[in-house]
């Protein structure tokens, strides 16, 4: 039942194989990282033929358990130079799992200028000359919908991926076939573009719900997990009502909302771009807007509302908190309609909202765009699709933009932009930024849980004590969550509801006939991180790069006047289980 699909872009061969024994027991991030670590030369050129691009659903994909159908995408990152896993919601992960495909491994590359679409069905796969080359994601999907059968899902890249911009993302379609769910970080879209692969069409017809060793035990465990998600106030109500933007006011109050390129921790106009404001506008305008919407089948959290314009017509999905922050407080813009439009353009052109929005703030600091000038930002954003010099610069992310504009204070780790939590005011998050193998990534070890929200305990966000241990434990847990295929937001329940984690373990055991314990789930997370750190070390990314830019240590952040005061030796203890 469990298979790999290997696709050679040079020979155009598409071959199924039984899942190799060395990869058994892995899914999602665990599988993408294992394949990249074993099969990709760490010294290879990320946009060259020796890199591989891997798509893998999680271990619980296609089971109808709540929030378990995410898709991991892995490769050597052209942004960080190290290993990368980015993941997305939408329908694609569940559809691949329904076909029994645990991984698509895309190898080699097509001749320059050739673009191909990969069609995947129950027992066959083939490459065809692309019908959508040159189109951005929304037009590409609209065209593909007219060609392929109802019920398909689509994986695409926009013009940014075709240009091989190093902040390019990979789009997955949601339940309504909008390409709004993105594997965003690390430039995975540039790797897909370098392969000459424009789109993947996944037809789940004839596929099956995953086989279970014990159906009744699985059903019972799934019901328990759904109950845990419903009981938790964040996963049961807050995220549905306000989306992840509920954090705007909370993080601002904590003094950790980075404003004007990390100069201070509060934004005076934060309420204008808050989740509460987004909920109010969505409900008031009505039309095509919607509060509480799930991006994939089986979602019970429903954080992905639909944002309407003043005329009631849909602009796009509710922007995530990090997107609102990057285009908002970070760039001194407080127009939620404009930010929602920028988010739509990122989805359409196919770029990471975090790296591009932070790049825009850095360009503002370097004099390339006036501070707070939404019209100038809009013009720069269009340049990503048009291939203008400024568009290509910001489309390659924050580090590149900082170099081009000669900016000293560039908020990156390993070439990847810091997201929306200042590490001087949310110190556990800073430890994660510095030490995760992924480059600065809030999702890799979301210390906001204990630092700000008091979920799973409380660790004072302004003090050093307990932060290394907190980040370590969360990075381990997250690696496991990503491997199972769970939405990251389930972590709120997993940390706070006693029966949530046992329910997940019981689902895995009931599906595969395993005898896992909670300790085994922890071991899986350590195994994944060990694999990723090892790849990075072999790629030349040493411990000296596991740190934040100097200005976080040198400059105090208002209003708390704190610095990030960890030594390199202290940071190196975060992942000491790999030694």
């Amino acid at each position: 039942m469990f298979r790999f699909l290997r696709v050679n872009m040079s020979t155009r061969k598409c071959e199924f194989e039984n899942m190799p024994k060395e990869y058994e027991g892995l899914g999602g991030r665990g599988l993408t990282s294992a394949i990249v670590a074993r099969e990709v030369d760490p010294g290879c050129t990320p946009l060259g033929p020796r890199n591989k691009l891997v798509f893998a659903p999680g271990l619980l994909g296609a089971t109808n358990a709540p929030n378990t159908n995410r898709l991991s995408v892995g490769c050597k990152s052209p942004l960080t130079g190290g290993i990368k896993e980015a993941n997305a919601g939408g329908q694609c992960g569940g559809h691949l799992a329904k076909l029994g495909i645990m991984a698509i491994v895309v190898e080699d590359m097509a001749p320059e200028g050739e673009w191909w679409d990969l069609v995947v069905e129950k027992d066959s796969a083939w490459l065809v000359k692309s019908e959508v080359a040159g189109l951005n994601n929304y037009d590409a999907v609209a065209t593909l919908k007219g060609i392929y059968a109802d019920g398909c899902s689509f994986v695409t890249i926009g013009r940014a991926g075709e240009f091989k911009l190093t902040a390019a993302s990979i789009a997955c379609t949601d339940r309504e076939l909008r390409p709004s769910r993105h594997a965003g970080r690390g430039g995975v879209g540039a790797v897909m573009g370098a392969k000459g692969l424009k789109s993947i069409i996944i037809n789940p017809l004839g596929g099956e719900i995953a086989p279970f060793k014990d159906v009744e035990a699985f059903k019972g465990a799934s019901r328990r997990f759904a109950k845990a998600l419903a009981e938790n106030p964040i996963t049961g109500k807050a995220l549905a009502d306000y989306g992840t933007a509920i954090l705007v006011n909370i993080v601002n109050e904590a003094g950790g909302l980075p404003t004007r390129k990390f100069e201070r921790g509060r934004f005076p106009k934060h309420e204008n771009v808050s989740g509460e404001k987004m909920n109010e506008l969505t409900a008031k305008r009505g039309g095509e807007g919607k509060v509480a919407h799930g991006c994939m089948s089986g979602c019970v959290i429903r954080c992905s509302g639909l944002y309407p314009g003043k005329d009631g017509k849909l602009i796009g999905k509710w922007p995530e908190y990090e997107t609102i922050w990057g285009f908002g407080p970070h760039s001194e813009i407080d127009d939620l309609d404009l930010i929602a439009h920028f988010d739509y353009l990122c989805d359409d052109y196919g770029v990471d909202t975090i790296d591009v929005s932070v790049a825009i703030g850095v360009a503002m600091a370097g004099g390339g765009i006036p501070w707070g000038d939404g019209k100038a930002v809009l013009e720069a954003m269009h340049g990503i699709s048009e291939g203008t010099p400024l568009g290509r610069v910001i489309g390659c992310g924050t580090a590149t933009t900082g170099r081009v504009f000669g900016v000293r204070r560039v908020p990156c780790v390993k070439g990847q932009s810091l997201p929306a939590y200042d590490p001087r005011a949310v110190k556990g998050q800073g430890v994660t930024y510095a030490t995760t193998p992924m480059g600065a990534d809030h999702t890799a070890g979301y210390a906001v849980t204990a630092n700000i929200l008091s979920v799973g305990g409380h660790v004072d966000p302004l003090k050093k004590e307990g932060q290394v241990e907190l980040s370590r434990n969360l990075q381990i847990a997250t690696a496991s969550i990503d491997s199972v295929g769970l939405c990251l937001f389930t972590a709120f329940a997993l940390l706070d509801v006693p029966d949530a984690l046992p329910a997940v373990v019981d689902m895995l055991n009931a599906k595969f006939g395993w005898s896992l314990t909670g300790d085994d789930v922890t071991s899986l997370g350590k195994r994944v991180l060990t694999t990723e750190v090892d790849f990075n070390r072999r790629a030349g990314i040493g411990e000296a790069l596991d740190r934040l830019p100097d200005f976080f240590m040198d400059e105090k952040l208002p209003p708390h006047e704190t610095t990030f005061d960890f030594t390199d030796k202290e940071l190196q203890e975060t992942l000491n289980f790999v030694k």
Side-chain angles (χ1 to χ4, degrees):
M1 175 64 183
F2 301 117
R3 303 174 293 172
F4 279 13
L5 170 61
R6 291 191 181 268
V7 179
N8 188 297
M9 296 302 299
S10 177
T11 64
R12 296 194 292 282
K13 287 186 177 179
C14 303
E15 298 180 319
F16 288 99
E17 64 180 38
N18 291 330
M19 186 172 180
K21 189 173 181 62
E22 60 265 28
Y23 298 126
E24 289 179 0
L26 296 173
R29 174 178 168 185
L31 186 53
T32 63
S33 290
I35 293 172
V36 171
R38 179 182 286 266
E39 300 186 13
V40 173
D41 176 1
C44 77
T45 301
L47 299 181
R50 295 187 179 184
N51 200 2
K52 297 187 180 185
L53 184 66
V54 186
F55 299 84
L59 290 168
L60 289 179
T63 60
N64 286 341
N67 293 84
T68 55
N69 281 319
R70 298 207 44 111
L71 178 69
S72 288
V73 182
C75 61
K76 179 178 178 180
S77 168
L79 190 73
T80 70
I83 201 163
K84 174 52 62 180
E85 184 267 356
N87 70 58
Q91 297 294 83
C92 302
H95 284 181
L96 279 183
K98 192 173 181 180
L99 295 174
I101 297 173
M102 291 301 292
I104 297 177
V105 184
V106 183
E107 304 172 333
D108 214 322
M109 55 198 300
E112 186 71 28
E114 288 189 8
W115 292 101
W116 297 86
D117 297 332
L118 172 65
V119 184
V120 182
E121 296 186 346
K122 183 175 183 292
D123 292 313
S124 60
W126 64 95
L127 288 162
V128 297
K129 282 282 190 179
S130 181
E131 299 281 352
V132 293
L135 299 180
N136 283 311
N137 286 316
Y138 274 86
D139 285 344
V141 169
T143 301
L144 293 170
K145 284 165 58 179
I147 298 171
Y148 295 96
D150 291 343
C152 292
S153 58
F154 305 100
V155 178
T156 58
I157 56 171
R159 295 276 286 168
E162 293 187 14
F163 289 147
K164 306 176 191 64
L165 305 184
T166 52
S169 61
I170 295 175
C172 296
T173 48
D174 65 7
R175 291 185 302 160
E176 291 81 19
L177 294 183
R178 290 181 289 257
S180 61
R181 315 315 308 181
H182 285 245
R185 311 225 68 193
V188 291
V191 177
M192 188 164 163
K195 298 295 180 191
L197 183 60
K198 176 64 178 178
S199 73
I200 304 174
I201 299 95
I202 308 168
N203 186 349
L205 184 66
E208 302 173 355
I209 297 297
F212 301 98
K213 293 294 184 179
D214 190 331
V215 175
E216 293 307 313
F218 188 91
K219 288 180 179 178
S222 179
R223 285 193 293 268
R224 287 162 46 209
F225 187 54
K227 182 174 182 289
L229 294 175
E231 288 177 353
N232 180 267
I234 297 176
T235 55
K237 180 171 174 56
L239 286 171
D241 286 348
Y242 306 109
T244 59
I246 191 175
L247 288 165
V248 172
N249 288 340
I250 294 171
V251 179
N252 185 78
E253 177 63 25
L257 186 67
T259 299
R260 194 180 170 95
K261 199 175 72 66
F262 291 83
E263 288 184 1
R264 55 187 185 271
R266 286 184 178 147
F267 182 52
K269 299 179 180 179
H270 62 95
E271 291 183 353
N272 294 347
V273 295
S274 65
E276 290 84 348
K277 185 67 173 180
M278 190 159 62
N279 174 291
E280 175 191 328
L281 291 175
T282 302
K284 179 180 178 180
R285 292 172 177 175
E288 296 175 352
K290 185 176 182 180
V291 174
H293 177 266
C295 74
M296 61 183 176
S297 297
C299 175
V300 299
I301 296 176
R302 301 173 301 146
C303 71
S304 184
L306 303 178
Y307 189 84
K310 294 176 182 177
D311 58 0
K313 293 184 179 180
L314 182 68
I315 294 179
K317 69 180 187 302
W318 275 3
E320 300 281 356
Y321 161 69
E322 290 77 19
T323 304
I324 289 175
W325 159 76
F327 286 113
H330 170 71
S331 304
E332 295 203 318
I333 293 173
D334 70 332
D335 185 333
L336 200 52
D337 287 353
L338 198 56
I339 293 169
H341 187 60
F342 293 152
D343 183 51
Y344 169 83
L345 292 179
C346 286
D347 287 349
D348 192 28
Y349 300 160
V351 286
D352 175 31
T353 61
I354 297 173
D355 242 294
V356 166
S357 64
V358 178
I360 284 170
V362 169
M364 289 175 173
I369 301 173
W371 280 108
D373 189 335
K375 183 178 179 181
V377 173
L378 185 62
E379 184 177 347
M381 290 290 294
H382 287 319
I384 295 174
S385 177
E386 295 162 1
T388 67
L390 179 57
R392 287 176 181 265
V393 169
I394 64 173
C396 282
T398 302
T400 293
T401 303
R403 286 191 290 270
V404 169
F405 284 97
V407 176
R408 177 180 65 85
R409 298 169 72 260
V410 180
C412 288
V413 176
K414 302 178 182 73
Q416 183 165 278
S417 173
L418 269 68
Y421 314 88
D422 197 295
R424 293 164 290 188
V426 193
K427 292 192 176 184
Q429 204 61 54
V431 175
T432 295
Y433 292 156
T435 60
T436 168
M438 295 294 154
D441 187 341
H442 62 294
T443 67
Y446 194 59
V448 173
T449 50
N451 277 179
I452 303 296
L453 302 174
S454 296
V455 172
H458 180 73
V459 179
D460 190 328
L462 302 177
K463 295 180 180 178
K464 292 171 62 174
E465 290 75 22
Q467 307 293 2
V468 167
E469 182 181 8
L470 173 66
S471 176
R472 179 193 302 124
N473 291 339
L474 288 171
Q475 288 193 57
I476 292 168
T478 301
S480 296
I481 287 172
D482 291 340
S483 301
V484 172
L486 288 168
C487 170
L488 178 66
F489 299 144
T490 62
F492 293 113
L494 289 168
L495 290 168
D496 250 10
V497 180
D499 191 43
L501 178 58
V504 172
V505 173
D506 290 346
M507 284 192 289
L508 289 168
N509 289 337
K511 177 179 177 180
F512 294 102
W514 295 340
S515 300
L516 300 180
T517 65
D519 288 341
D520 293 316
V521 175
T522 300
S523 296
L524 171 61
K526 291 180 179 180
R527 175 184 173 185
V528 174
L529 286 167
T530 300
T531 297
E532 293 169 349
V533 171
D534 176 68
F535 182 93
N536 280 3
R537 298 295 183 254
R538 291 186 287 125
I541 301 174
E543 291 181 345
L545 296 180
D546 292 343
R547 57 173 293 161
L548 299 182
D550 293 349
F551 76 88
F552 288 113
M553 282 78 83
D554 298 339
E555 300 175 14
K556 293 181 179 180
L557 177 75
H560 297 300
E561 303 301 324
T562 50
T563 61
F564 189 75
D565 50 355
F566 291 80
T567 66
D568 291 352
K569 183 178 179 180
E570 288 169 335
L571 292 174
Q572 288 166 13
E573 287 299 309
T574 307
L575 301 183
N576 65 2
F577 59 86
V578 305
K579 297 179 180 178

